[in-house]
Amino acid sequence: MINIGLEVSSTLTANPTGIQRYMDGVVSGLMQDNTASLTRLFKVSRFKKRHLMPALSVPYRWYWISPVERHNGLDVIHCLDTTVPAMSGGRPIVVTIHDLYLAIHADYLNIRTAERKRRKVIDACRKASHIVVPTAAIKRELVDAFGVAKPITVIPHGLNPEFFSSAQLSSADSSYVLGFSGGKRKNFSQLAAAFYRSHVYEMGWRLVIVGRPPDEELNEARKFLPTERLVIYDRLSERTLMDLYANAGVVSYVSHYEGFGFPVIEGMAAGVPVVTGAYGATAEVAGGHACLVDTHSLESIASGIDRAMSMPSDAIDKAKEHAASFQWERVGEELKRVYEAVTSTSGQRPRH
């Protein structure tokens, strides 16, 4: 039995992010293996947010400096983002780095904040025995930007299998492009303008957006998109999200930068043609099964949406098969191999 501590302090938030989804997936994948014992780890500094703790059957522990206890301790600590304990009690640390957007790309941050984000990545890499990233694109960027020489393993995320079968098809008009927002890099402005120029707009389609765009961008889009042609879902359940995927005509995920890009494979799993960027992580995740576009070009995005609308059924079927290869059980298996490697190297033998 290997005892794994999962550092998940960042999940204590009223606005769940991809870290929450990653934690849920990692836990579900590791629980497929009855030789792994899991404990969630939360920093005491987040104690006031304890009411936000995700409800799981996995036990949890609060810690201050080190989460390792003298008795019944841990064999390895896996930090599911760059929040890393000050001390590990001699246990090896595995760190997942999802992307480097805030560390090196978010030009809207002031110098002090940007440097703090960079230092957090550098500190996490320094403490890590092994680093996990979701795509080869992030691995290359991590090495190029920070010169990381530690072992780095690419383990793509998994997909909730319910995306393949549990969505409800609607009898209502499904002629819409499903897009995503929530920040400048999600590229809502370009998508809205490209949609307005596309043939599907002329055909009467709507643009449905998950996540609220920045007010400035939303106000600008409403100047040329009639209210009935632009629908915004600020917050929604996963059930509603699945239904939106299943009933869409096209899924468009034209973010300028991502570490992975769940909507790419979620759209494919729902059997819907996908449009995404032709470079970086999203192109890698698409695996040649999406309409790739230049996310900085209105004409390219508009053309991609129109091409996706006409994607043949056999190409959509192949994309769905591709999405099926992203499984949390496989993620759990690959992480288990990483844990075994770092405990063997460090001399920290799992307890049986």
Side-chain angles (χ1 to χ4, degrees), residues 24-72:
D24 292 343
V26 166
V27 168
S28 67
L30 290 172
M31 288 183 71
Q32 301 295 318
D33 186 342
N34 58 14
T35 66
S37 174
L38 307 180
T39 302
R40 290 179 291 165
L41 306 174
F42 297 95
K43 296 178 68 173
V44 169
S45 59
R46 312 285 178 92
F47 189 72
K48 290 183 178 180
K49 296 183 178 181
R50 61 190 181 281
H51 62 285
L52 298 172
M53 185 181 297
L56 291 174
S57 59
V58 178
Y60 63 88
R61 179 188 305 169
W62 295 95
Y63 74 93
W64 183 248
I65 296 177
S66 172
V68 176
E69 296 179 348
R70 181 174 299 179
H71 302 290
N72 191 28

Coordinates of all heavy atoms in Angstrom, one line a residue, residues 24-72:
D24 N -10.9 16.0 -8.7 CA -12.0 15.0 -8.8 C -11.5 13.8 -9.7 O -11.7 12.7 -9.4 CB -13.3 15.6 -9.3 CG -13.9 16.5 -8.3 OD1 -13.5 16.5 -7.1 OD2 -14.8 17.3 -8.8
G25 N -10.9 14.2 -10.8 CA -10.5 13.2 -11.8 C -9.3 12.3 -11.2 O -9.3 11.1 -11.4
V26 N -8.3 13.0 -10.6 CA -7.2 12.2 -10.0 C -7.7 11.3 -9.0 O -7.3 10.1 -8.9 CB -6.1 13.2 -9.5 CG1 -5.1 12.5 -8.6 CG2 -5.4 13.9 -10.6
V27 N -8.5 11.8 -8.1 CA -9.1 10.9 -7.0 C -9.8 9.7 -7.6 O -9.6 8.6 -7.2 CB -10.0 11.7 -6.1 CG1 -10.8 10.8 -5.2 CG2 -9.2 12.7 -5.3
S28 N -10.7 10.0 -8.6 CA -11.4 8.8 -9.2 C -10.5 7.9 -9.9 O -10.7 6.6 -9.8 CB -12.5 9.4 -10.2 OG -11.8 9.9 -11.3
G29 N -9.4 8.4 -10.5 CA -8.5 7.5 -11.2 C -7.7 6.6 -10.2 O -7.5 5.4 -10.4
L30 N -7.2 7.3 -9.1 CA -6.4 6.6 -8.2 C -7.2 5.6 -7.3 O -6.7 4.5 -6.9 CB -5.7 7.6 -7.2 CG -4.6 8.4 -7.8 CD1 -4.1 9.5 -6.9 CD2 -3.4 7.5 -8.3
M31 N -8.5 5.9 -7.2 CA -9.3 5.0 -6.4 C -9.6 3.7 -7.1 O -10.2 2.7 -6.5 CB -10.6 5.7 -5.9 CG -10.4 6.7 -4.9 SD -11.9 7.6 -4.3 CE -12.7 6.3 -3.4
Q32 N -9.3 3.6 -8.4 CA -9.5 2.4 -9.1 C -8.4 1.3 -8.7 O -8.6 0.1 -9.0 CB -9.3 2.6 -10.6 CG -10.3 3.6 -11.2 CD -11.7 3.1 -11.1 OE1 -12.0 2.0 -11.4 NE2 -12.6 4.0 -10.8
D33 N -7.4 1.8 -8.0 CA -6.3 0.9 -7.6 C -6.4 0.7 -6.1 O -6.2 1.7 -5.3 CB -4.9 1.6 -7.9 CG -3.7 0.7 -7.7 OD1 -3.9 -0.3 -6.9 OD2 -2.7 1.0 -8.2
N34 N -6.6 -0.5 -5.6 CA -6.8 -0.7 -4.2 C -5.5 -0.8 -3.4 O -5.5 -1.1 -2.2 CB -7.6 -2.0 -3.9 CG -7.0 -3.2 -4.6 OD1 -5.8 -3.2 -5.0 ND2 -7.7 -4.3 -4.7
T35 N -4.4 -0.5 -4.1 CA -3.1 -0.4 -3.4 C -2.7 1.0 -3.1 O -1.6 1.3 -2.7 CB -2.0 -1.1 -4.3 OG1 -1.7 -0.3 -5.5 CG2 -2.3 -2.5 -4.6
A36 N -3.6 2.0 -3.3 CA -3.3 3.4 -3.0 C -4.2 3.9 -2.0 O -5.4 3.7 -2.0 CB -3.5 4.2 -4.3
S37 N -3.6 4.5 -0.9 CA -4.4 5.1 0.1 C -4.2 6.6 0.0 O -3.1 7.2 -0.1 CB -3.9 4.7 1.5 OG -4.5 5.4 2.6
L38 N -5.4 7.4 0.0 CA -5.4 8.8 -0.3 C -5.8 9.6 0.9 O -6.7 9.2 1.7 CB -6.3 9.1 -1.5 CG -6.2 8.3 -2.8 CD1 -7.2 8.8 -3.8 CD2 -4.8 8.5 -3.3
T39 N -5.1 10.8 1.1 CA -5.4 11.7 2.1 C -5.4 13.1 1.4 O -4.4 13.5 0.8 CB -4.5 11.7 3.3 OG1 -4.5 10.4 3.8 CG2 -4.9 12.7 4.3
R40 N -6.4 13.9 1.6 CA -6.4 15.3 1.1 C -5.7 16.2 2.1 O -5.9 16.0 3.3 CB -7.8 15.8 0.8 CG -8.5 15.1 -0.3 CD -9.9 15.7 -0.5 NE -10.8 15.2 0.6 CZ -12.0 15.8 0.9 NH1 -12.4 16.8 0.2 NH2 -12.8 15.3 1.8
L41 N -4.9 17.1 1.6 CA -4.1 18.0 2.5 C -4.5 19.4 2.3 O -4.6 19.9 1.1 CB -2.6 17.8 2.2 CG -2.1 16.4 2.3 CD1 -0.6 16.4 1.8 CD2 -2.2 15.8 3.7
F42 N -4.8 20.1 3.4 CA -5.2 21.5 3.3 C -4.4 22.4 4.3 O -4.2 22.0 5.4 CB -6.7 21.7 3.7 CG -7.7 21.0 2.8 CD1 -8.1 19.7 3.1 CD2 -8.1 21.6 1.7 CE1 -9.1 19.1 2.3 CE2 -9.1 21.0 0.8 CZ -9.5 19.7 1.1
K43 N -3.9 23.5 3.8 CA -3.1 24.4 4.6 C -4.0 25.0 5.7 O -5.2 25.4 5.4 CB -2.5 25.5 3.8 CG -1.5 25.0 2.8 CD -1.0 26.1 1.9 CE -0.1 27.1 2.8 NZ 0.6 28.1 1.9
V44 N -3.5 25.1 6.9 CA -4.3 25.7 8.0 C -4.6 27.2 7.7 O -5.7 27.7 8.1 CB -3.5 25.6 9.3 CG1 -4.1 26.5 10.4 CG2 -3.3 24.2 9.8
S45 N -3.9 27.8 6.9 CA -4.1 29.2 6.5 C -5.5 29.4 5.8 O -6.0 30.5 5.7 CB -3.0 29.8 5.7 OG -2.8 29.1 4.5
R46 N -6.0 28.3 5.2 CA -7.3 28.3 4.5 C -8.4 27.8 5.4 O -9.5 27.6 4.9 CB -7.2 27.4 3.3 CG -6.0 27.6 2.4 CD -6.0 28.8 1.6 NE -4.8 29.0 0.8 CZ -4.7 28.5 -0.5 NH1 -5.7 27.9 -1.1 NH2 -3.6 28.7 -1.2
F47 N -8.2 27.6 6.7 CA -9.2 27.0 7.6 C -10.5 27.8 7.6 O -11.6 27.2 7.7 CB -8.6 26.9 9.0 CG -9.5 26.1 10.0 CD1 -9.5 24.8 9.8 CD2 -10.2 26.8 10.9 CE1 -10.3 24.0 10.7 CE2 -11.0 26.0 11.8 CZ -11.1 24.6 11.7
K48 N -10.5 29.1 7.4 CA -11.7 29.9 7.4 C -12.6 29.6 6.2 O -13.8 29.9 6.2 CB -11.4 31.4 7.5 CG -10.8 31.9 8.8 CD -10.6 33.4 8.8 CE -10.0 33.9 10.1 NZ -9.8 35.3 10.1
K49 N -12.0 28.9 5.2 CA -12.8 28.5 4.1 C -13.2 27.1 4.1 O -13.6 26.5 3.1 CB -11.9 28.8 2.8 CG -11.6 30.2 2.6 CD -10.8 30.4 1.3 CE -10.5 31.9 1.0 NZ -9.8 32.1 -0.3
R50 N -13.1 26.4 5.2 CA -13.4 25.0 5.4 C -14.8 24.6 4.9 O -15.0 23.5 4.5 CB -13.2 24.5 6.8 CG -14.0 25.2 7.9 CD -13.5 24.8 9.2 NE -14.3 25.4 10.3 CZ -14.2 26.6 10.7 NH1 -13.4 27.5 10.2 NH2 -15.0 27.1 11.7
H51 N -15.7 25.6 5.0 CA -17.1 25.3 4.6 C -17.2 25.1 3.0 O -18.2 24.6 2.5 CB -18.0 26.5 5.0 CG -17.7 27.8 4.3 ND1 -16.6 28.5 4.8 CD2 -18.3 28.5 3.3 CE1 -16.5 29.6 4.0 NE2 -17.5 29.6 3.2
L52 N -16.1 25.4 2.3 CA -16.1 25.3 0.9 C -15.4 23.9 0.5 O -15.2 23.7 -0.7 CB -15.3 26.4 0.2 CG -15.9 27.8 0.4 CD1 -14.9 28.9 -0.1 CD2 -17.2 27.9 -0.3
M53 N -15.1 23.1 1.5 CA -14.4 21.9 1.2 C -15.3 20.9 0.3 O -16.4 20.7 0.7 CB -14.0 21.2 2.5 CG -13.1 19.9 2.2 SD -12.7 19.1 3.8 CE -11.7 20.4 4.6
P54 N -14.8 20.5 -0.8 CA -15.6 19.5 -1.6 C -15.9 18.3 -0.8 O -15.1 17.8 -0.1 CB -14.6 19.2 -2.8 CG -13.7 20.4 -2.8 CD -13.5 20.8 -1.4
A55 N -17.1 17.8 -1.0 CA -17.6 16.6 -0.3 C -17.1 15.4 -1.0 O -17.6 15.1 -2.1 CB -19.1 16.6 -0.2
L56 N -16.2 14.7 -0.3 CA -15.6 13.4 -0.9 C -15.5 12.4 0.3 O -15.3 12.8 1.4 CB -14.3 13.7 -1.6 CG -14.2 14.5 -2.9 CD1 -12.8 14.7 -3.3 CD2 -15.0 13.8 -4.0
S57 N -15.4 11.2 -0.1 CA -15.2 10.1 0.9 C -13.7 10.0 1.3 O -13.4 9.4 2.3 CB -15.7 8.8 0.4 OG -15.0 8.4 -0.8
V58 N -12.9 10.7 0.6 CA -11.4 10.7 0.9 C -11.1 11.5 2.1 O -11.6 12.6 2.3 CB -10.6 11.3 -0.3 CG1 -9.1 11.3 0.0 CG2 -10.9 10.5 -1.6
P59 N -10.4 10.9 3.1 CA -10.1 11.7 4.4 C -9.2 12.9 4.1 O -8.6 12.9 3.1 CB -9.4 10.6 5.2 CG -8.9 9.6 4.3 CD -9.9 9.6 3.1
Y60 N -9.2 13.8 5.1 CA -8.4 15.0 4.9 C -7.7 15.3 6.1 O -8.0 14.8 7.2 CB -9.3 16.2 4.5 CG -10.3 16.6 5.5 CD1 -10.0 17.5 6.5 CD2 -11.6 16.1 5.5 CE1 -10.9 17.9 7.5 CE2 -12.6 16.4 6.4 CZ -12.2 17.4 7.4 OH -13.1 17.7 8.3
R61 N -6.7 16.2 6.0 CA -5.8 16.6 7.1 C -5.4 18.0 6.9 O -5.1 18.5 5.8 CB -4.6 15.7 7.1 CG -3.6 16.0 8.2 CD -2.3 15.2 8.1 NE -2.6 13.7 8.0 CZ -1.6 12.8 7.6 NH1 -0.4 13.2 7.3 NH2 -2.0 11.6 7.6
W62 N -5.4 18.8 8.0 CA -4.9 20.2 8.0 C -3.5 20.2 8.4 O -3.0 19.3 9.2 CB -5.7 21.0 9.0 CG -7.2 21.2 8.6 CD1 -8.2 20.5 9.1 CD2 -7.7 22.2 7.7 NE1 -9.4 20.9 8.5 CE2 -9.1 21.9 7.6 CE3 -7.2 23.2 6.9 CZ2 -10.0 22.7 6.9 CZ3 -8.0 23.9 6.1 CH2 -9.4 23.7 6.1
Y63 N -2.7 21.0 7.8 CA -1.3 21.1 8.1 C -0.8 22.6 8.2 O -1.4 23.4 7.5 CB -0.4 20.3 7.2 CG -0.2 20.9 5.8 CD1 0.9 21.7 5.5 CD2 -1.2 20.7 4.8 CE1 1.0 22.3 4.3 CE2 -1.0 21.2 3.5 CZ 0.1 22.0 3.3 OH 0.2 22.6 2.0
W64 N 0.3 22.8 8.9 CA 0.9 24.1 8.9 C 2.1 24.2 8.1 O 2.2 24.8 7.1 CB 1.1 24.5 10.4 CG 1.6 25.9 10.6 CD1 2.9 26.3 11.0 CD2 0.9 27.1 10.3 NE1 3.0 27.7 11.0 CE2 1.8 28.2 10.6 CE3 -0.4 27.4 9.8 CZ2 1.4 29.5 10.4 CZ3 -0.7 28.7 9.6 CH2 0.1 29.8 9.9
I65 N 3.2 23.6 8.6 CA 4.5 23.6 7.8 C 4.6 22.3 7.0 O 5.0 22.4 5.9 CB 5.6 23.8 8.8 CG1 5.5 25.1 9.5 CG2 7.0 23.7 8.1 CD1 6.6 25.4 10.6
S66 N 4.4 21.2 7.6 CA 4.5 19.9 7.0 C 3.3 19.1 7.2 O 2.8 19.0 8.3 CB 5.8 19.2 7.5 OG 5.8 17.9 6.9
P67 N 2.8 18.4 6.2 CA 1.6 17.5 6.4 C 2.0 16.1 6.8 O 1.1 15.3 7.0 CB 1.0 17.5 5.0 CG 2.2 17.6 4.1 CD 3.2 18.5 4.8
V68 N 3.3 15.8 7.0 CA 3.7 14.5 7.4 C 3.6 14.3 8.9 O 4.2 15.1 9.7 CB 5.1 14.2 6.9 CG1 5.6 12.8 7.4 CG2 5.2 14.3 5.4
E69 N 2.9 13.3 9.3 CA 2.9 13.0 10.8 C 3.9 11.9 11.1 O 4.2 11.0 10.3 CB 1.4 12.5 11.1 CG 0.4 13.6 10.9 CD -1.0 13.1 11.2 OE1 -1.2 11.9 11.4 OE2 -1.9 14.0 11.3
R70 N 4.3 11.8 12.4 CA 5.3 10.9 12.8 C 4.8 9.4 12.6 O 5.5 8.5 12.2 CB 5.7 11.1 14.3 CG 6.7 10.1 14.8 CD 7.2 10.5 16.2 NE 7.8 11.9 16.2 CZ 8.3 12.5 17.2 NH1 8.2 11.9 18.4 NH2 8.8 13.7 17.1
H71 N 3.5 9.2 13.0 CA 2.9 7.9 12.9 C 1.9 7.9 11.8 O 1.2 8.9 11.6 CB 2.2 7.5 14.2 CG 3.2 7.5 15.4 ND1 4.2 6.6 15.5 CD2 3.3 8.3 16.4 CE1 4.9 6.8 16.6 NE2 4.3 7.9 17.2
N72 N 1.9 6.8 11.1 CA 0.9 6.6 10.0 C 1.1 7.8 9.0 O 0.1 8.5 8.6 CB -0.5 6.6 10.5 CG -1.5 6.2 9.4 OD1 -1.1 5.4 8.5 ND2 -2.7 6.6 9.5

